[in-house]
């Protein structure tokens, strides 16, 4: 009886020489040379654009203004970034599926108005919060159905939804802000744990859950497959239509949560369009290394991108730069990030 284990026998019937399956050890290059070669590669800078940009901005603004890195300002930055972080996670899901949600900011505005109306009618805080999430989720579901079942381009659908949600917010509120005062919301926006305010903690928890959903579940695998190649995903039995509806629904739900956080921050339900959040959510995703053609990316990168944009705005404000220049700065950063993304692996 042969002593060779059957499980190790290759299909060709001949056992290859053991040395043929292992590469000869090559002289190991020094780690310094490895890092040096990485630094010379533009793809390395493109892959880490967000974290590198964030570190550079912190260094520059700290050198220019000592107030920047104080505990109070860091807390302010983290709280200010929380809303954008939540929207960015929603935008990342959509872009990973090879789509884009141009209505995410207007969807948030509609959620804000739904919250304000419910609250002004005497509904409790919980019902008002649910109203915001439901209103925003409906827009997300509608977007997903039109894209997946209606076979309409994401850009057109969400551009139309942007106008619809903004118009509904103006109609329902009669164009007037609604004051919202709640001790619970005030405590939520002004308290926290250590240096982390509750809004930032909520945003961080959402980011962690999103990471788990993307990289630890079958849904995440199907999402990346859909974004990478829709035809190939369908050939393997993946329902790309369901994935599309799901990502836009997630985007809508997160827009509703962001609406609650926005009301807690400003203390009012305002129908004004928050177009800055739209631009910044896309910018953060691009900065975070998520491919605009879908199928490649993560959640950590866009979160860092959202922090970078918030740090940029905060630093410019501390330097007394006019607010008129801030969108200009953000726009330049987005264009540079898009340019760098061409060199990503």
């Amino acid at each position: 009886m042969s002593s060779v284990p059957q499980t190790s026998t290759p299909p060709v019937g001949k056992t290859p020489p053991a040395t043929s399956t292992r590469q000869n050890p090559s002289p190991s290059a020094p780690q310094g040379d490895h890092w040096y070669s990485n630094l010379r590669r533009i793809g390395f800078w493109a892959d880490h654009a967000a974290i590198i940009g964030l570190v550079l901005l912190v260094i520059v603004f700290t050198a220019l203004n000592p107030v920047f890195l104080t505990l109070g300002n860091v807390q302010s930055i983290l709280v200010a970034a929380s809303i954008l972080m939540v929207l960015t996670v929603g935008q990342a899901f959509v872009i990973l599926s090879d789509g884009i949600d141009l209505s995410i900011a207007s969807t948030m505005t509609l959620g804000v108005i739904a919250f304000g109306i419910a609250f002004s009618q005497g509904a409790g805080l919980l019902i008002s919060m649910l109203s915001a999430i439901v209103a925003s989720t409906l827009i997300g579901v509608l977007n997903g159905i039109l894209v997946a079942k209606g076979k309409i381009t994401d850009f057109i659908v969400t551009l139309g939804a942007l106008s619809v949600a903004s118009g509904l917010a103006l109609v329902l509120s009669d164009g007037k802000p609604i004051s919202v005062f709640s001790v619970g919301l005030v405590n939520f926006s002004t308290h926290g744990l250590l240096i982390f305010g509750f809004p930032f903690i909520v945003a961080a928890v959402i980011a962690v859950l999103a990471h788990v959903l993307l990289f630890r579940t079958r849904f995440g695998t199907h999402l990346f497959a859909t974004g990478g190649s829709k035809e190939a995903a369908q050939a393997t039995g993946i329902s790309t239509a369901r994935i599309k509806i799901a990502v836009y629904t997630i985007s809508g739900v997160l827009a509703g949560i962001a609406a609650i956080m926005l009301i807690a921050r400003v203390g009012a339900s305002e129908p004004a369009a928050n177009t800055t959040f739209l631009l910044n959510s896309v910018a953060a995703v691009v900065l975070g290394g998520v491919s605009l053609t879908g199928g490649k990316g993560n959640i950590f990168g866009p979160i860092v991108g959202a922090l970078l944009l918030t740090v940029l705005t905060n630093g410019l404000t501390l330097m007394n730069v006019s607010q008129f220049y801030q969108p200009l700065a953000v726009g330049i950063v987005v264009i540079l990030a898009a340019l760098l993304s061409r060199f990503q692996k």
Side-chain angles (χ1 to χ4, degrees), residues 69-158:
L69 210 56
T70 58
L71 182 61
N73 194 52
V74 171
Q75 289 176 321
S76 175
I77 289 173
L78 295 179
V79 171
S82 57
I83 297 174
L84 179 58
M85 288 168 61
V86 174
L87 293 177
T88 298
V89 171
Q91 191 71 266
F93 269 88
V94 176
I95 292 180
L96 281 170
S97 72
D98 192 21
I100 189 167
D101 190 355
L102 298 179
S103 67
I104 192 167
S106 298
T107 301
M108 179 181 68
T109 301
L110 182 61
V112 165
I113 295 303
F115 185 110
I117 292 175
F119 194 83
S120 64
Q121 295 299 316
L125 187 60
L126 180 60
I127 298 298
S128 301
M129 293 167 67
L130 288 176
S131 300
I133 294 176
V134 169
S136 299
T137 302
L138 287 177
I139 296 294
V141 172
L142 182 63
N143 282 339
I145 292 175
L146 288 175
V147 170
K149 301 296 184 182
K151 308 294 183 185
I152 308 175
T153 308
D154 304 67
F155 180 85
I156 300 299
V157 170
T158 56

Side-chain angles (χ1 to χ4, degrees), residues 270-336:
E270 298 180 350
N274 296 288
T275 53
T276 302
F277 280 112
L278 167 60
L279 173 63
N280 286 356
S281 68
V282 177
V285 173
V286 174
L287 283 168
V290 175
S291 172
L292 286 174
T293 56
K296 176 182 179 297
N298 56 45
I299 291 297
F300 175 74
I303 292 297
V304 175
L307 288 171
L308 184 152
L309 294 173
T310 308
V311 164
L312 177 62
T313 304
N314 179 274
L316 293 176
T317 302
L318 286 179
M319 293 172 62
N320 293 321
V321 175
S322 170
Q323 290 187 351
F324 297 153
Y325 289 96
Q326 294 179 8
L328 176 65
V330 172
I332 292 174
V333 169
V334 173
I335 293 173
L336 290 177

Side-chain angles (χ1 to χ4, degrees), residues 99-288:
I100 189 167
D101 190 355
L102 298 179
S103 67
I104 192 167
S106 298
T107 301
M108 179 181 68
T109 301
L110 182 61
V112 165
I113 295 303
F115 185 110
I117 292 175
F119 194 83
S120 64
Q121 295 299 316
L125 187 60
L126 180 60
I127 298 298
S128 301
M129 293 167 67
L130 288 176
S131 300
I133 294 176
V134 169
S136 299
T137 302
L138 287 177
I139 296 294
V141 172
L142 182 63
N143 282 339
I145 292 175
L146 288 175
V147 170
K149 301 296 184 182
K151 308 294 183 185
I152 308 175
T153 308
D154 304 67
F155 180 85
I156 300 299
V157 170
T158 56
L159 186 63
L162 180 156
S163 184
V164 168
S166 299
L168 278 176
L170 288 170
V171 170
L172 293 174
S173 65
D174 199 21
K176 299 176 182 177
I178 303 171
S179 178
V180 176
F181 177 76
S182 166
V183 175
L185 289 178
V186 172
N187 289 333
F188 172 76
S189 63
T190 57
H191 292 73
L193 298 174
L194 302 175
I195 66 169
F196 307 109
F198 285 130
F200 179 79
I201 293 174
V202 170
V205 170
I206 289 173
V208 171
L209 293 176
H211 174 84
V212 172
L213 187 60
L214 277 179
F215 295 100
R216 294 289 185 271
T217 67
R218 180 180 297 180
F219 170 78
T221 304
H222 290 184
L223 171 56
F224 278 105
T226 300
S229 174
K230 182 179 176 182
E231 291 75 16
Q234 289 175 336
T236 59
I238 296 174
S239 174
T240 57
R242 289 183 181 178
I243 295 296
K244 280 287 186 181
I245 295 174
V247 295
Y248 279 104
T249 302
I250 291 172
S251 180
V253 171
L254 293 180
I257 294 174
I260 298 169
M261 297 167 72
L262 182 60
I263 289 178
R265 182 172 172 81
V266 303
S269 169
E270 298 180 350
N274 296 288
T275 53
T276 302
F277 280 112
L278 167 60
L279 173 63
N280 286 356
S281 68
V282 177
V285 173
V286 174
L287 283 168

